[in-house]
Amino acid sequence: MGARASKCLERIRAPDEHPGASEAEQEKVKTKTVYNPEWTPNGIEGGVDTNKLPWIKFPDATGWFYKPLRASQENGMFSVVAKMSKGAVQPDLIHLGSVDFMVLSGKMTFPSGPMKGSLEEGVWAYIPAEAMISGLKAESDVEYVMNCYGPFAFLNADKSVKSLFTSSDIQAAAAMQGISLIPNTLAECMAERPDGECSQGLTAEPLAISQKAKSDFLLRAKEVASNKDAMNCIHYVDTKALKWFESMPGVGLKILRVSEETGFVTVMVRHNAAAPPHYHLGAADFFMLQGHLGYRAGPPEGYGPGTWFFEPAGARHEATQPVDEAEDTVYLANIFGPIQFDSGVGTPIAFVFSWMSYLQMAEANGFPLVKNQFPRDSSHLAVAASKTTKDDAAEKTDVASTVYNPEWNPTGIEGGVDTNKLPWIEFSSCKGWSYKPLRASYENGMFSLVCRLAAGTEITDILHLGACDFMVLSGKMTFPSGPMAGTLQEGVFAYIPADAVIESLKADVDVEYVMNCYGPLAFLNKDKSVKELVTSNIIQGAAAKRGITLIPSTLAECLQERPEEYKGPAEPLAIADPAKAANLVCEREGSTTNAAAMTNPHYVDTKALKWFESMPGVGLKILRVSEETGVITVMVRHNAAAPPHYHLGCADFFMMQGHLGYRAGPPEGYGPGTWFFEPAGARHESTQPVDEAKDTIYLANIYGPIQFDSGVGTPIAFVFSWMSYLQMAEANGFPLVKNRFPEGATRLAAMPGVDRKGKFDITPYLKATPHPETASWCMQQTMIRVKDPKKSLDFYTKVLGMRLLSVGEFPQYGFTVYFVGYVDKMDRPPPEDDEAKKFAYSMTVPGCIELTWNHGTEVDEAPLIYNTGNADSVGTKDGKAVKGGFGHLGITVPDVYAACDHFKASGAEFKKSPNSGGMKGLAFVKDPDGYAIEILPYGKAFPFPTKDVDCSGVTLTDGGGYTGGLATQTADAPAAAEKTSAKLDGKFDWTMYYKLPVEPRFTGWCSQQTMIRVKCPKRALDFYTGTLGMRLISVGEFSQFGFTVYFVGYANEKQLGSLPESTKLDDRFAYSMKVPGCIELTWNHGSEAEAGKCIYNTGNGDETGCQDKQAIKGGFGHIGLSVPDVYAACERFKRCGAEFKKSPNAGGMKGLAFIKDPDGYAIEIVPSGKSFPFPTQSVDCNGVALP
């Protein structure tokens, strides 16, 4: 981390402040300490063209879709472009974090509440945290870009929580579709960006504003109001009615929102000239509305409407300019921290644009800023019992300040509270867990508490919907498992990221800790559904009920007369006792008795850290630095006064030892247990201890840069941002607490619509009817590679009873293919002579096995040479098992036990006899190459018919339990495996296999399935039923074994009868056992949450799933579909956004194609009833022409 951070950090001292340094050394310092590192941007490393992304359906919401852009693993924020179809009504939901959005096209209506009115293109809106929205309706197709600063909760009719939608859901859905989300930090932008802006199996759909007419329409009305609702409602505004204000030459602004609490600003920007060089001290995002923006190393034409950018904190722009200054280039910008302008890298700061700058400009130019809070009596999840009247609230909302530090008469503690004087309030869902409320935001849902856990109390299954930081003040508590596992005692600071589920936390003794919650807490039931939410509103209501005055959240609120303080019984903290306070901070620095706190990356024992003197008499211990949000946590020790400064963002402080002098407070200052909140914009002429001879120590969370000077009106001396603290932390060896849990750590939901038992709604797939385009398609083949064709043909024809249907010899390519299958249910027998007719016939037979022989493999010394997919080490370079995707072939037979008697007599090797294992009545045998063949009863549902004793003498009671299936077993070579002695030189006489007699024993046998493992079942089903047009025939849920299977295929209902009703799953399963050529999609529960777009090895020289990341010699090749017209089918695939490996006219073999499914498996597309060479057309779907 040190090398990375040293490249992207703010300068703290200029080179000439290093006396004695040579010019080269000074230049080195200058190079190492600038914001923007030496890296090679690709022009859009922090952005995405949303026109190229697919729409993904929101769970639990009909007609509501989104395109995922960014999702934070740290604070739970996510950004999307959303769409509502005409007539769609959004279900009742609560925005647990705040939301801002701009309508890009179309029109939607809020029927009631604070948002009441119709919003159309150009309207920008803000909904504060914990607002409940009911009945939002799309009057026409409507698209809008949206930032969600926390999750939202879909509600049942009784307003209980039905389901949650979180940042984790966005991450999972994007991974399923193969979409690469935008990085969240500058460090991530420096890393190589993964491939994938578009999805597998879903159409990439441009936004309406990708059409210039629509884009112009969005901005069409020059300073004329077209939406009366948007000009009357204080929670949204029609941007088309606002006049441009020139903030600098050639750069116009429309200022839409300024948050005095968070420092966030939303503006529309119009560029007709370049903006000067600047640093983003906080992050920012931009959405292109019109024109084309030049962006770093991007293409000359720039980026147009629909492009969304995320500028990470610390990013630098030498210039931001339009491609054509004669053309208006307009974008929407959310700015999450100050922007620092200069005239070039290393030059002095020219000026800083903070929220206060924008507020001053907005007031001077009459912009009707959108309000940051709903009225206090509006409909929320929980309405706080407040003493504030409606008129009072309105008056407070209208207060505005245009200077940093107004003339006011502080009380000394207008922004703080002595927590020792407050009572404990018990959490209703957890006896023994109580809190003292300090602050609760009406705008963003954050709240701050001091908490206490009584000895022996255990908190179970609690979900942090926002991030959480805390420091233990006294006592000891233990996390028994998960990323937080370990014991935390006094002096330990910890951070839990958003969306994390804490399964257990237990108090070993009475324990007290100060905590910031950046979003709600959810108590969960045993099934992980939401039992109860703890929100900012709940905290507000509990405080009001007890007469506790919460700390104001903005500078404007601090200007108001503070209500009377709490007068009830006081319950002091343990650290009110000086001995306890001393124990909290005064253990010998550099030592600790808490081993877990020095090894777990998510918390640290602050007593073991050494003080670093950041300025004379001011020591720091740096605990956490967020490169994403710019928030930092430090411990501060004052033995002298700090110089004058402004808080450009807010901050909070908790006194741990000594006494701090604070504005107009009492001479003795404020001691341990006092908590302060500094609103954004606050100024300190100094911060000092009461007695410099004694250590004054406090914990500080700093939410934005601090700007130092030598007095009001003097030039900026320096700015401390997160980069300054990061540089100091690295230079002094502080073990910074991590901002994220590891990939795959416990989260509430790993996949939209899927619960933790591995279930999701399959009803729409079961009810779907065949698509006319795919009605005559056939799942014709599964290709596997074989070492010795003679041995394989002997097995498949004599042991399994299949017919050799055709042979394709391709000596020019060095391989031969043999199609084997069952034909007794075909409407005509195979041709007897002409090889071309045989090949054409085989292209119509469902469920064929294509045995592919690569010439020369027969003389390989190893008995097995191809990896079979089932945790097999064959074909690897390191000799270690592969996480294989292909599982097995499957045949259905009238009598499994009789078939297995035949296999036994034929010398076949069993992996499982019918009575062994946990699943009775089915068997597995191996072919000569080690591939697994499942034997199932034809037309039967699970549990299958059984007999007392099977072919191996195993009884029903002594067969043992389920052992995890083939995925955990190694495909060992048969005991009697032989090495082929003679080389075949690419030929041998296979005609004898055509002449084999048809044995009656094989009548009714069916090549029913090919099993492949899939990461996400929903993604796979969308592809196989949507893109390929297969039916979901049946589902087998085996939650006791941790997996579910989905049988998809093309069912010949004329031959097999009508598919049973979707509700009759047993009948559907029995029916599927009769359908030849099914694909069995196997989902191992939890795989959907694994990192990576694809997790299983597909067999084709693939390194996925290999422990050494080296390509294997895979056995499984592909699945094959036969279709009436390959070129027409490929046009369909193109429309659906499928990924092509080969279009029909590409490569050497013309007239056939290969596409990939979402897990990377190859699917061959061949013409039905045709022989090679296949029919062709002059140009294919990708524009490839025949030679």
Side-chain angles (χ1 to χ4, degrees):
M1 183 173 179
R4 181 193 72 219
S6 67
K7 290 182 178 180
C8 64
L9 299 180
E10 171 191 19
R11 292 190 62 196
I12 294 178
R13 294 198 291 176
D16 58 9
E17 292 176 308
H18 294 262
S22 67
E23 289 185 8
E25 289 170 331
Q26 291 183 14
E27 183 60 32
K28 183 178 179 183
V29 170
K30 179 178 176 180
T31 302
K32 287 183 67 178
T33 57
V34 295
Y35 286 94
N36 205 38
E38 294 300 321
W39 55 302
T40 305
N42 58 28
I44 197 169
E45 67 292 327
V48 62
D49 184 353
T50 65
N51 296 294
K52 296 180 180 179
L53 298 180
W55 293 110
I56 301 172
K57 182 181 178 297
F58 277 105
D60 296 316
T62 301
W64 193 22
F65 307 88
Y66 67 95
K67 299 185 178 198
L69 309 178
R70 185 181 79 93
S72 171
Q73 294 174 298
E74 178 181 333
N75 67 1
M77 178 182 174
F78 55 91
S79 302
V80 298
V81 175
K83 178 178 77 171
M84 289 181 69
S85 301
K86 181 180 179 180
V89 177
Q90 192 182 86
D92 289 354
L93 58 81
I94 294 171
H95 290 285
L96 293 171
S98 55
V99 172
D100 64 56
F101 63 93
M102 173 178 259
V103 181
L104 304 174
S105 61
K107 183 178 178 181
M108 59 184 176
T109 297
F110 291 89
S112 61
M115 297 293 291
K116 183 178 180 180
S118 292
L119 287 70
E120 52 193 33
E121 59 279 326
V123 171
W124 186 88
Y126 180 82
I127 299 175
E130 297 174 33
M132 185 167 67
I133 301 298
S134 298
L136 174 62
K137 182 178 180 180
E139 307 295 342
S140 61
D141 287 349
V142 61
E143 297 173 352
Y144 51 102
V145 61
M146 176 169 66
N147 282 317
C148 296
Y149 297 86
F152 46 81
F154 292 104
L155 303 180
N156 294 308
D158 64 357
K159 306 305 180 188
S160 61
V161 175
K162 179 181 180 183
S163 64
L164 294 167
F165 190 77
T166 71
S167 173
S168 293
D169 296 316
I170 293 285
Q171 295 160 28
M176 292 169 205
Q177 303 298 338
I179 296 171
S180 177
L181 294 177
I182 301 304
N184 291 305
T185 68
L186 189 59
E188 290 172 332
C189 281
M190 292 168 64
E192 184 176 351
R193 185 172 179 183
D195 293 331
E197 286 184 341
C198 195
S199 73
Q200 299 286 345
L202 290 175
T203 303
E205 298 179 79
L207 302 182
I209 62 166
S210 64
Q211 305 170 31
K212 190 176 188 302
K214 289 284 189 181
S215 174
D216 291 343
F217 189 70
L218 172 63
L219 304 163
R220 75 194 184 285
K222 294 186 176 180
E223 298 144 16
V224 177
S226 59
N227 189 331
K228 292 181 180 179
D229 287 332
M231 297 312 295
N232 295 326
C233 182
I234 59 175
H235 303 295
Y236 46 90
V237 63
D238 188 347
T239 63
K240 301 186 298 296
L242 304 180
K243 294 182 179 181
W244 290 104
F245 157 67
E246 192 171 56
S247 60
M248 56 185 70
V251 180
L253 293 181
K254 294 183 179 183
I255 305 175
L256 309 181
R257 184 178 84 98
V258 176
S259 170
E260 298 182 58
E261 179 176 337
T262 64
F264 294 175
V265 175
T266 302
V267 295
M268 282 177 65
V269 184
R270 182 185 66 188
H271 272 289
N272 297 104
H278 56 274
Y279 291 121
H280 287 276
L281 300 187
D285 64 55
F286 312 100
F287 187 86
M288 288 296 299
L289 299 169
Q290 187 181 61
H292 291 79
L293 188 70
Y295 190 85
R296 289 202 181 96
E301 66 272 18
Y303 297 101
T307 305
W308 187 86
F309 297 100
F310 181 77
E311 283 293 341
R316 179 176 176 83
H317 281 159
E318 290 307 321
T320 304
Q321 70 280 327
V323 172
D324 182 356
E325 293 189 359
E327 173 191 49
D328 284 348
T329 294
V330 181
Y331 55 89
L332 177 72
N334 289 288
I335 302 168
F336 304 115
I339 302 175
Q340 179 178 303
F341 292 86
D342 52 48
S343 55
V345 174
T347 62
I349 298 169
F351 55 94
V352 174
F353 263 23
S354 72
W355 66 272
M356 289 166 281
S357 314
Y358 289 98
L359 181 59
Q360 195 169 30
M361 290 187 287
E363 291 178 341
N365 291 277
F367 286 110
L369 296 176
V370 169
K371 298 300 181 185
N372 296 304
Q373 301 176 10
F374 276 179
R376 300 291 166 86
D377 61 348
S378 63
S379 179
H380 284 72
L381 173 65
V383 179
S386 175
K387 296 181 179 180
T388 307
T389 67
K390 184 176 181 180
D391 291 339
D392 290 338
E395 183 180 349
K396 284 188 180 183
T397 305
D398 291 336
V399 173
S401 168
T402 57
V403 294
Y404 282 94
N405 202 41
E407 293 298 325
W408 53 302
N409 296 312
T411 64
I413 195 169
E414 68 291 328
V417 61
D418 184 351
T419 65
N420 295 294
K421 296 180 179 179
L422 297 180
W424 293 108
I425 304 171
E426 192 165 79
F427 284 100
S428 60
S429 287
C430 186
K431 186 176 178 59
W433 190 25
S434 52
Y435 66 95
K436 299 186 178 199
L438 309 178
R439 187 182 78 92
S441 171
Y442 284 95
E443 177 182 335
N444 66 3
M446 178 180 175
F447 53 92
S448 302
L449 314 168
V450 175
C451 293
R452 180 180 67 182
L453 268 175
T457 301
E458 184 176 14
I459 304 171
T460 58
D461 289 337
I462 188 166
L463 168 65
H464 290 272
L465 290 170
C468 167
D469 65 55
F470 62 91
M471 174 175 266
V472 181
L473 304 174
S474 61
K476 186 166 66 172
M477 59 185 178
T478 297
F479 293 89
S481 61
M484 297 291 291
T487 297
L488 287 69
Q489 54 197 35
E490 62 277 333
V492 171
F493 170 83
Y495 181 83
I496 298 174
D499 292 356
V501 174
I502 301 300
E503 295 183 344
S504 175
L505 170 61
K506 186 174 182 180
D508 301 286
V509 296
D510 286 350
V511 61
E512 296 174 355
Y513 53 101
V514 60
M515 177 170 70
N516 284 312
C517 294
Y518 298 85
L521 304 173
F523 289 98
L524 304 180
N525 293 308
K526 290 183 178 179
D527 63 358
K528 306 305 179 187
S529 62
V530 176
K531 177 182 178 182
E532 182 183 343
L533 290 171
V534 177
T535 67
S536 175
N537 265 319
I538 297 293
I539 300 300
Q540 294 159 23
K545 183 177 180 181
R546 291 159 178 83
I548 299 171
T549 300
L550 296 178
I551 302 303
S553 292
T554 68
L555 192 58
E557 290 172 332
C558 282
L559 287 164
Q560 305 304 304
E561 183 179 349
R562 185 170 182 181
E564 189 174 326
E565 292 186 28
Y566 171 74
K567 298 297 185 182
E571 298 183 77
L573 303 182
I575 60 168
D577 178 349
K580 290 279 189 181
N583 190 45
L584 174 60
V585 295
C586 288
E587 185 170 331
R588 183 172 60 86
E589 65 180 32
S591 68
T592 181
T593 59
N594 191 341
M598 294 310 297
T599 57
N600 190 302
H602 305 295
Y603 45 90
V604 64
D605 188 342
T606 63
K607 301 188 298 296
L609 305 179
K610 295 183 179 181
W611 291 104
F612 157 68
E613 192 171 55
S614 60
M615 55 186 70
V618 179
L620 293 181
K621 294 184 179 184
I622 305 175
L623 310 180
R624 186 178 81 94
V625 176
S626 170
E627 299 181 57
E628 180 177 336
T629 65
V631 176
I632 62 107
T633 303
V634 294
M635 281 177 65
V636 183
R637 182 184 65 187
H638 270 290
N639 297 101
H645 56 275
Y646 290 120
H647 286 276
L648 300 187
C650 58
D652 63 58
F653 311 100
F654 185 87
M655 287 297 300
M656 302 169 70
Q657 181 177 287
H659 290 78
L660 187 71
Y662 189 84
R663 288 203 182 96
E668 67 273 15
Y670 297 100
T674 305
W675 187 85
F676 297 101
F677 181 78
E678 283 293 343
R683 177 175 178 83
H684 282 161
E685 289 308 320
S686 71
T687 305
Q688 71 281 325
V690 171
D691 183 352
E692 293 188 1
K694 296 180 179 179
D695 287 346
T696 295
I697 298 174
Y698 55 88
L699 177 73
N701 289 287
I702 303 171
Y703 302 104
I706 301 176
Q707 179 178 302
F708 290 86
D709 53 48
S710 55
V712 174
T714 61
I716 299 170
F718 57 95
V719 175
F720 262 24
S721 73
W722 66 272
M723 291 166 280
S724 316
Y725 289 97
L726 181 58
Q727 189 177 44
M728 290 186 287
E730 292 181 339
N732 291 277
F734 287 110
L736 296 176
V737 169
K738 299 296 183 185
N739 295 304
R740 301 175 185 175
F741 277 176
E743 293 288 342
T746 303
R747 296 292 176 102
L748 169 70
M751 184 174 73
V754 180
D755 69 18
R756 293 179 58 93
K757 293 182 179 179
K759 296 181 180 180
F760 74 106
D761 186 11
I762 58 170
T763 306
Y765 299 98
L766 291 169
K767 289 182 176 179
T769 55
H771 195 286
E773 274 189 298
T774 63
S776 57
W777 291 16
C778 167
M779 209 305 278
Q780 185 269 332
Q781 65 181 255
T782 299
M783 186 277 259
I784 55 175
R785 299 175 180 92
V786 299
K787 176 188 175 184
D788 186 329
K790 292 174 66 176
K791 287 184 177 181
S792 294
L793 286 173
D794 280 343
F795 178 84
Y796 281 91
T797 60
K798 298 175 183 178
V799 178
L800 296 188
M802 293 182 179
R803 300 281 296 276
L804 174 61
L805 302 177
S806 70
V807 178
E809 294 190 284
F810 300 93
Q812 70 273 36
Y813 302 127
F815 69 86
T816 302
V817 296
Y818 308 86
F819 287 95
V820 294
Y822 299 108
V823 297
D824 62 309
K825 291 183 176 61
M826 295 291 290
D827 56 7
R828 61 190 175 92
E832 294 186 359
D833 44 17
D834 188 282
E835 195 60 43
K837 290 180 180 178
K838 288 177 180 289
F839 196 96
Y841 177 85
S842 69
M843 292 297 103
T844 67
V845 178
C848 285
I849 311 300
E850 179 186 4
L851 305 172
T852 296
W853 169 42
N854 291 305
H855 302 162
T857 56
E858 70 279 3
V859 296
D860 196 300
E861 292 185 359
L864 300 175
I865 63 172
Y866 292 115
N867 193 284
T868 65
N870 292 306
D872 185 5
S873 61
V874 175
T876 64
K877 292 181 172 63
D878 63 356
K880 295 181 180 179
V882 171
K883 189 171 185 176
F886 173 69
H888 58 257
L889 303 171
I891 63 173
T892 54
V893 299
D895 187 330
V896 170
Y897 287 79
C900 287
D901 286 336
H902 162 70
F903 299 146
K904 186 80 170 178
S906 300
E909 181 185 358
F910 281 85
K911 284 183 74 78
K912 175 194 179 303
S913 65
N915 286 350
S916 63
M919 290 183 167
K920 310 299 182 183
L922 62 85
F924 280 94
V925 295
K926 288 185 186 179
D927 85 346
D929 289 273
Y931 297 109
I933 316 288
E934 187 174 25
I935 317 300
L936 299 150
Y938 183 87
K940 302 295 182 183
F942 194 83
F944 298 137
T946 58
K947 293 182 180 179
D948 292 337
V949 181
D950 66 22
C951 61
S952 296
V954 180
T955 66
L956 286 173
T957 56
D958 62 8
Y962 181 71
T963 57
L966 297 174
T968 60
Q969 300 178 27
T970 303
D972 298 318
E978 297 178 1
K979 181 174 64 176
T980 303
S981 57
K983 188 175 182 180
L984 299 176
D985 293 323
K987 292 184 179 180
F988 81 101
D989 183 13
W990 35 259
T991 57
M992 60 172 287
Y993 294 97
Y994 280 146
K995 300 172 184 177
L996 290 174
V998 179
E999 293 189 44
R1001 79 168 78 239
F1002 300 123
T1003 300
W1005 288 32
C1006 170
S1007 179
Q1008 187 268 335
Q1009 68 179 252
T1010 299
M1011 188 277 258
I1012 55 176
R1013 300 176 181 91
V1014 298
K1015 176 182 178 181
C1016 168
K1018 191 175 186 304
R1019 180 177 74 171
L1021 286 173
D1022 284 341
F1023 177 84
Y1024 282 91
T1025 62
T1027 302
L1028 299 188
M1030 292 181 176
R1031 305 283 298 277
L1032 175 57
I1033 300 171
S1034 71
V1035 179
E1037 295 195 71
F1038 300 96
S1039 55
Q1040 69 273 36
F1041 302 134
F1043 69 87
T1044 303
V1045 296
Y1046 307 85
F1047 288 97
V1048 295
Y1050 302 107
N1052 185 342
E1053 294 187 78
K1054 290 182 180 179
Q1055 182 185 85
L1056 299 175
S1058 298
L1059 195 62
E1061 294 178 13
S1062 61
T1063 55
K1064 298 179 179 179
L1065 290 182
D1066 283 352
D1067 291 348
R1068 296 276 290 226
F1069 196 96
Y1071 185 94
S1072 70
M1073 294 295 104
K1074 300 187 292 184
V1075 180
C1078 283
I1079 310 296
E1080 180 187 2
L1081 304 172
T1082 296
W1083 171 37
N1084 292 306
H1085 302 164
S1087 63
E1088 74 283 353
E1090 293 186 36
K1093 174 186 169 185
C1094 301
I1095 62 173
Y1096 293 113
N1097 194 284
T1098 64
N1100 293 304
D1102 185 7
E1103 69 272 8
T1104 304
C1106 300
Q1107 297 185 48
D1108 61 356
K1109 303 301 180 185
Q1110 298 291 311
I1112 68 162
K1113 190 170 185 176
F1116 172 72
H1118 60 256
I1119 294 162
L1121 308 185
S1122 61
V1123 300
D1125 186 330
V1126 170
Y1127 289 78
C1130 288
E1131 292 289 351
R1132 172 186 170 83
F1133 300 147
K1134 184 81 170 178
R1135 292 196 308 271
C1136 292
E1139 180 183 355
F1140 281 83
K1141 285 190 64 163
K1142 175 195 177 303
S1143 63
N1145 289 347
M1149 289 185 166
K1150 310 300 182 184
L1152 62 85
F1154 280 92
I1155 60 174
K1156 286 184 179 180
D1157 86 344
D1159 288 273
Y1161 298 110
I1163 298 173
E1164 186 179 28
I1165 315 300
V1166 296
S1168 178
K1170 303 296 182 182
S1171 184
F1172 197 80
F1174 296 139
T1176 58
Q1177 295 179 16
S1178 57
V1179 180
D1180 67 22
C1181 61
N1182 283 347
V1184 179
L1186 290 172

